[in-house]
């Protein structure tokens, strides 16, 4: 007669189930950068939100009515009030954390400048990481603003960068340059020499550069310019020749000084022979060498420009930063993207360099759009990063005192979770709260891109619509157009609110 083993089977099943439940409480395990799926046999019966994510504790910020998902005690609350514009339902307004006791709002510099766009260039500097690389977002935002306020051209373009060959808004060719970028510090990069884009370029004995717009995207806006401007710090014996639309070249700049003048007669002789170098020569003659640093010069050429080319000869100790393609009035928007950056490199650009650019290319709005390379699934506390970026904002405010500064938050970014599904990184929500607090402490404006694009799961929806890449992190040009439209509309709402207050 066989023994009844039903109870043994029951106890075996109980042991297995208990073991599986216990496995859920093991620490997170990773294979490289990928988190291994966590065992959770209760996943199918746990409460979830509309995006399919397990509900977290919801904590309300009673000061300004904002709601944040608090994963742990690292989430921070903003302790100051913000101006918010009246916007239609469903639109996420820009929060303006300017001093509530004063009459000035941070975005007012920019909104006031828009009223002058028919008289002068209104310039925007848009700083970011690979999220805006290749002129993504900025190409469409530039075009929307130019369609409304006038202007054409693609703004500032580096001599060479990683996105030069896939940028759709402009076509460039270059030869004979040595490139230095802030994200390649092991290649002899000097922080003191970097320009606004976090880069600089040194010409060989003979270097060439050509820039022309493209008619394929926003024809009539991005395919031509009225003003081409070269930004550089000259060295000795530097000559720059330029040509417009393939025509005969002309001398744009000449620095014939090969040594310092030792007498007044030599100084007078140099001034008579080369008037272009007057200012630089006088400064070199008066100030000791250790107190002098080459200034950023901006040499311009005007005309009906579809293509601009330049040939650089000599001046091996010169540094070039880029060429701008602009109109004489209207909107000019510069894309300053640096792959892999969190924005901290801006704080290491010498103040004198920033002030030089402020002199030759002033801005009415500076946008800081970072976080993609900062957010991490395992990290909850971003106080150190926020502290560094507050120094960056202070640095920019010193150099550009009458410029609006807008912080655009990190976007949605997904990772595969323990349930095997793609979900918003916890670190994104945490970083978002720190970025908002950073803007509040710095008394600048803040726009919650994460919320504006739809919050949790929004990047997954963009992937489904072929607006984002399969890494569930980066958007493509279609996605850039979508987000640019969101930002354009909220800026226009802000302008309407500004006009109402002015009336």
């Amino acid at each position: 007669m066989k023994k009844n083993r039903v109870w043994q089977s029951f106890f075996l099943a109980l042991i297995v189930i208990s073991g599986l439940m216990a496995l859920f409480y093991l620490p997170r395990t990773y294979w490289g950068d990928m988190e291994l799926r966590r065992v959770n046999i209760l996943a199918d019966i746990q409460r979830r939100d509309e995006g399919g994510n397990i509900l977290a504790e919801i904590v309300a910020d009673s000061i300004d009515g904002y709601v944040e998902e608090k994963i742990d005690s690292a989430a921070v609350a903003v302790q100051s009030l913000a101006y918010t514009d009246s916007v239609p339902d469903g639109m996420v307004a820009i929060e303006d954390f300017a001093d509530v006791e004063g009459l000035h709002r941070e975005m007012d510099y920019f909104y006031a400048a828009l009223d002058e766009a028919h008289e002068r260039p209104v310039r925007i500097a848009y700083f970011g990481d690979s999220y805006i690389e290749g002129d993504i977002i900025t190409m469409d935002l530039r075009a929307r603003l130019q369609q409304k306020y006038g202007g054409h051209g693609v703004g500032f373009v580096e001599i060479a960068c990683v996105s030069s060959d896939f940028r759709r808004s402009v076509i460039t060719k270059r030869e004979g340059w040595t490139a230095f970028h802030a994200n390649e510090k092991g290649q002899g990069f000097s922080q003191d020499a970097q320009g606004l884009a976090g880069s600089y370029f040194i010409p060989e004995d003979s270097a060439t550069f050509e820039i022309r717009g493209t008619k394929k995207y926003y024809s009539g806006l991005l395919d031509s310019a009225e003003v081409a401007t070269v930004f550089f710090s000259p060295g000795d014996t530097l000559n720059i020749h330029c040509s417009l639309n393939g025509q005969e070249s002309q001398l744009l700049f000449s620095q014939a000084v090969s040594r310092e003048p030792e007498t007044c007669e030599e100084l007078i002789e140099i001034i008579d022979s080369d008037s272009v170098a007057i200012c630089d020569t006088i400064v070199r003659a008066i100030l000791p060498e250790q107190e002098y640093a080459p200034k950023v010069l901006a040499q311009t050429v005007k005309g009906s420009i579809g293509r601009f080319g330049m040939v650089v000869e000599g001046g091996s100790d010169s540094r070039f930063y880029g060429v701008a393609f602009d109109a004489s009035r209207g909107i000019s928007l510069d894309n300053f993207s640096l792959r892999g950056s969190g924005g901290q490199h801006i704080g290491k650009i010498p103040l004198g360099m920033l002030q030089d650019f402020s002199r030759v290319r002033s801005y009415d709005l500076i946008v800081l759009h970072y976080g993609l390379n900062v957010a991490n699934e395992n990290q909850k506390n971003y106080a150190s990063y926020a502290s560094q970026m507050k120094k960056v904002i202070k640095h920019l405010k010193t150099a550009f005192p009458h410029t609006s500064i807008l912080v655009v938050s990190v976007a949605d970014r997904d990772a595969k979770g323990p349930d095997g599904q793609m979900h918003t990184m916890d670190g994104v929500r945490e970083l978002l709260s720190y970025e908002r607090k950073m803007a509040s402490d710095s008394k600048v404006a803040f726009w919650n891109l994460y919320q504006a694009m739809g919050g949790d799961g929004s990047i997954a929806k963009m992937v489904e619509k072929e607006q984002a890449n399969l890494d569930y992190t980066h958007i493509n040009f279609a996605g850039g157009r979508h987000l640019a439209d969101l930002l354009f509309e909220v800026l226009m709402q802000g302008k309407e609110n500004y006009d109402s207050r002015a009336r």
Side-chain angles (χ1 to χ4, degrees):
M1 181 177 180
K2 296 183 178 179
K3 293 182 179 181
N4 189 338
R5 300 183 180 274
V6 174
W7 288 105
Q8 292 179 348
S9 300
F10 172 77
F11 282 118
L12 178 61
L14 183 62
I15 292 172
V16 172
I17 292 173
S18 300
L20 291 174
M21 294 183 68
L23 289 175
F24 177 78
Y25 296 98
L26 290 175
R28 290 178 172 178
T29 307
Y30 292 83
W31 182 271
D33 294 330
M34 182 180 68
E35 181 181 356
L36 299 182
R37 181 174 179 177
R38 180 179 292 180
V39 177
N40 184 8
I41 63 175
L42 301 178
D44 291 336
I45 62 174
Q46 286 180 309
R47 293 180 60 209
R48 295 174 178 270
D49 61 16
E50 294 179 356
N53 299 304
I54 298 173
L55 286 173
E57 178 188 4
I58 302 297
V59 178
D61 181 349
S62 60
I63 296 176
D64 52 21
Y66 263 71
V67 175
E68 296 174 336
E69 283 190 299
K70 187 172 181 180
I71 306 302
D72 65 8
S73 60
V76 294
V78 171
Q79 301 298 321
S80 61
L81 296 174
Y83 296 110
T84 54
D85 294 320
S86 299
V87 298
D89 292 341
M91 180 180 291
V92 177
I94 291 173
E95 297 178 273
D96 200 321
F97 289 102
D99 188 357
V100 295
E101 296 180 357
L103 299 176
H104 164 71
R105 298 190 185 186
E106 180 64 20
M107 293 298 293
D108 284 359
Y109 288 128
F110 175 62
Y111 294 144
L114 290 176
D115 291 330
E116 302 174 358
H118 63 287
E119 302 174 350
R120 67 172 180 88
V122 174
R123 296 195 181 96
I124 303 170
Y126 201 117
F127 291 87
D129 48 33
S130 58
Y131 206 74
I132 66 168
E133 194 173 77
D135 218 10
I136 292 178
I137 295 181
T138 48
M139 177 177 73
D140 299 282
L141 179 61
R142 180 190 299 113
R144 291 293 305 273
L145 289 168
Q146 288 177 344
Q147 287 168 344
K148 186 172 181 66
Y149 292 100
H152 49 91
V154 297
F156 182 93
V157 179
E158 292 179 82
I159 299 295
C161 63
V162 293
S163 63
S164 293
D165 295 328
F166 69 82
R167 180 170 175 168
R168 292 182 174 182
S169 57
V170 69
I171 299 171
T172 60
K173 296 180 181 179
R174 84 296 290 174
E175 187 174 349
W177 300 90
T178 302
F180 297 87
H181 300 278
N183 56 357
E184 300 174 352
K185 296 179 181 178
Q187 307 299 318
F189 175 80
S190 171
Q191 291 180 349
D192 292 341
Q194 63 180 319
L196 288 184
S199 61
Y200 60 94
F201 308 87
I202 296 179
E204 298 176 2
D205 292 338
S206 181
T208 61
F209 178 78
E210 180 179 287
I211 177 174
R212 61 185 174 92
T214 172
K215 297 181 181 295
K216 187 175 182 180
Y217 301 96
Y218 300 107
S219 179
L221 294 178
L222 306 183
D223 56 347
S224 61
E226 297 172 345
V227 182
T229 308
V230 183
F231 299 91
F232 62 103
S233 294
D236 293 343
T237 66
L238 172 67
N239 291 289
I240 305 174
H241 288 82
C242 72
S243 63
L244 303 182
N245 308 317
Q247 298 176 356
E248 184 177 352
S249 65
Q250 56 183 297
L251 181 65
L252 180 67
F253 178 86
S254 179
Q255 177 76 291
V257 182
S258 59
R259 65 181 179 86
E260 305 300 333
E262 297 179 355
T263 65
C264 292
E265 289 76 11
E266 289 184 10
L267 177 59
I268 294 172
E269 181 181 350
I270 291 172
I271 292 175
D272 288 340
S273 63
D274 191 357
S275 59
V276 179
I278 291 177
C279 294
D280 185 64
T281 303
I282 292 176
V283 172
R284 285 178 181 267
I286 296 175
L287 297 179
E289 183 66 24
Q290 64 269 21
E291 296 181 12
Y292 175 79
K295 299 294 183 182
V296 175
L297 299 185
Q299 293 293 309
T300 62
V301 59
K302 298 180 180 180
S304 178
I305 308 172
R307 182 176 58 175
F308 172 84
M310 70 174 180
V311 177
V312 177
E313 297 176 330
S316 59
D317 54 344
S318 303
R319 298 186 180 96
F320 283 72
Y321 305 104
V323 177
F325 230 39
D326 295 314
S328 58
R329 59 182 62 85
I331 300 296
S332 175
L333 194 156
D334 297 343
N335 176 299
F336 294 120
S337 62
L338 184 64
R339 180 180 295 185
S341 174
Q344 301 98 316
H345 73 280
I346 301 173
K348 298 176 182 178
I349 299 175
L351 180 60
M353 178 69 73
L354 292 178
Q355 291 172 330
D356 277 353
F357 270 98
S358 177
R359 172 176 50 82
V360 298
R361 194 167 180 81
S362 60
Y363 291 101
D364 300 286
L365 173 65
I366 292 176
V367 180
L368 297 174
H369 184 173
Y370 293 101
L372 185 71
N373 301 289
V374 181
N376 188 293
E377 184 73 6
N378 301 317
Q379 187 174 345
K380 308 301 181 186
N381 191 312
Y382 296 92
S384 176
Y385 171 72
S387 177
Q388 294 174 32
M389 289 304 292
K390 283 191 287 188
K391 293 178 181 177
V392 167
I393 293 173
K394 183 178 180 181
H395 198 47
L396 289 170
K397 277 190 167 185
T398 302
F400 301 91
H402 301 296
T403 301
S404 297
I405 296 181
L406 172 64
V407 174
V408 174
S409 81
V410 62
D412 185 37
R413 180 182 181 183
D414 282 2
K416 184 173 289 188
D419 58 357
Q421 303 298 317
M422 301 299 293
H423 68 95
T424 295
M425 280 186 178
D426 291 343
V428 166
R429 291 184 286 262
E430 294 294 318
L431 175 59
L432 173 64
S433 64
Y434 277 96
E435 287 183 320
R436 183 163 172 262
K437 180 68 161 52
M438 172 187 81
S440 171
D441 292 344
S442 301
K443 303 298 183 184
V444 297
F446 175 79
W447 187 54
N448 192 332
L449 173 60
Y450 168 78
Q451 185 182 0
M453 65 191 292
D456 283 5
S458 54
I459 192 68
K461 293 177 182 177
M462 293 183 70
V463 171
E464 293 175 0
K465 296 178 182 179
E466 297 184 347
Q467 296 177 330
N469 300 335
L470 293 176
D471 62 358
Y472 289 81
T473 299
H474 294 86
I475 57 174
N476 54 30
F477 284 97
R481 184 163 53 252
H482 169 60
L483 298 188
D485 287 344
L486 295 178
L487 180 52
F488 172 78
E489 294 298 338
V490 76
L491 287 172
M492 294 303 96
Q493 283 296 135
K495 179 63 167 65
E496 287 185 17
N497 278 260
Y498 170 81
D499 291 340
S500 295
R501 294 196 305 272
R503 288 194 295 269

